[in-house]
Amino acid sequence: MLLPILQIHSEDMPAYAIVCGDPARAERISRKLDGAKELAFSREYRTFVGEFEGVQMAVVSHGVGSPGAAVCFEELIRAGVTTLIRVGTAGSYTADYPAGSVIVSTAAVRTDGLTRQLVPDGFPAVADIGVTSALIAAARGLDTRASNKAAIDEAGMPALGGGKVGAGITVTLDAFFAGVEDIPHRKYKQAGALAAEMEIAALYIVSTLRGARAGAIVAIDGFADSDLAAEYDPHTEAVAQAVEHEIEAALRALAAIARQDQA
């Protein structure tokens, strides 16, 4: 079956996929796969397949924002993908997680418009617990190996360069730039959210509706909280290292999940 938007054939898709916003990042991730090949590049959707640690998996870009990303998630699940991990970037709500940190999203606040058309208000956007556990283990394990003797903070999280590896609630927004209406970042922060991005709620809701498993990991590339206002520069070395860290963690987590499924 040909998927009309992604322009891929369902028979070419493995059960496991990493999704990311940027087509160039999808190509970068694919270079870590053995035998990688590009299946299609349609609009913002760029699809690769290959093998990592003996597990067949796909890498697919979904663009910016929930509506377009949801099209990608829907078609991947229709093609037979059962497990999806989003690799992305986010703005932090707290100085505890500065640029260069990595956060595993356990759930997402639904402030986007897309998911309101899929499920009732109040329905939660929650990650699969197995995928989340695998991501946390992979991210913290990589950090420990990288530093040999990692520093441990009071919460028991290993340090990652200038940041940390954490896990918690993220916020999914539609607006990247400020407008006339205020986004209540301070309220989300006070409620315990760690960071804001633009697609995770869509991933979790679509996956829940369609019976797939999903998780997400994000590299912090700046602050969303205006109280911590700083010049936004996502192209620093600290951010580059965090992106590399999350990519490796996602690949290892997905491979571990696949091996557990096959056991």
Side-chain angles (χ1 to χ4, degrees):
M1 176 178 66
L2 178 68
L3 282 303
I5 307 301
L6 298 184
Q7 287 291 294
I8 58 175
H9 291 274
S10 58
E11 55 267 29
D12 294 330
M13 293 303 294
Y16 306 94
I18 289 177
V19 292
C20 62
D22 185 0
R25 183 169 293 161
E27 191 276 333
R28 173 180 170 184
I29 297 171
S30 76
R31 283 187 246 132
K32 296 178 178 291
L33 304 181
D34 296 326
K37 63 178 180 178
E38 186 171 357
L39 297 184
F41 195 165
S42 174
R43 303 188 185 193
E44 64 264 48
Y45 310 112
R46 192 174 188 183
T47 304
F48 299 85
V49 292
E51 189 174 288
F52 184 82
E53 294 184 350
V55 175
Q56 288 290 323
M57 60 181 68
V59 180
V60 188
S61 62
H62 55 64
V64 177
S66 290
V71 172
C72 175
F73 307 148
E74 291 273 11
E75 288 207 345
L76 287 177
I77 294 169
R78 291 181 187 183
V81 173
T82 62
T83 308
L84 303 94
I85 292 178
R86 167 164 150 69
V87 171
T89 53
S92 176
Y93 280 140
T94 168
D96 291 339
Y97 293 99
S101 301
V102 170
I103 290 174
V104 176
S105 171
T106 58
V109 180
R110 294 172 44 223
T111 74
D112 64 296
L114 180 279
T115 62
R116 293 178 183 175
Q117 296 184 10
L118 297 179
V119 293
D121 286 343
F123 189 90
V126 183
D128 177 83
I129 190 169
V131 176
T132 299
S133 296
L135 279 169
I136 292 171
R140 292 180 177 172
L142 280 168
D143 194 43
T144 301
R145 282 193 291 272
S147 61
N148 292 322
K149 193 174 182 180
I152 304 295
D153 69 6
E154 292 179 359
M157 300 179 205
L160 174 62
K164 300 175 181 177
V165 175
I169 296 170
T170 55
V171 177
T172 296
L173 305 169
D174 280 340
F176 187 88
F177 295 104
V180 176
E181 294 290 333
D182 289 331
I183 298 172
H185 290 298
R186 184 172 297 178
K187 290 183 179 180
Y188 299 137
K189 175 182 177 178
Q190 289 174 340
L194 298 182
E197 55 78 68
M198 301 181 72
E199 296 89 17
I200 291 176
L203 173 62
Y204 290 172
I205 291 298
V206 169
S207 297
T208 296
L209 287 175
R210 311 308 177 205
R213 300 177 296 189
I217 184 169
V218 292
I220 298 301
D221 63 1
F223 288 112
D225 182 357
S226 60
D227 291 340
L228 299 169
E231 182 177 352
Y232 177 64
D233 182 4
H235 304 296
T236 66
E237 181 59 28
V239 173
Q241 289 179 3
V243 169
E244 182 67 20
H245 186 109
E246 66 170 347
I247 289 171
E248 192 69 23
L251 289 167
R252 291 175 182 265
L254 204 55
I257 292 166
R259 287 192 295 269
Q260 187 174 36
D261 289 346
Q262 296 161 9

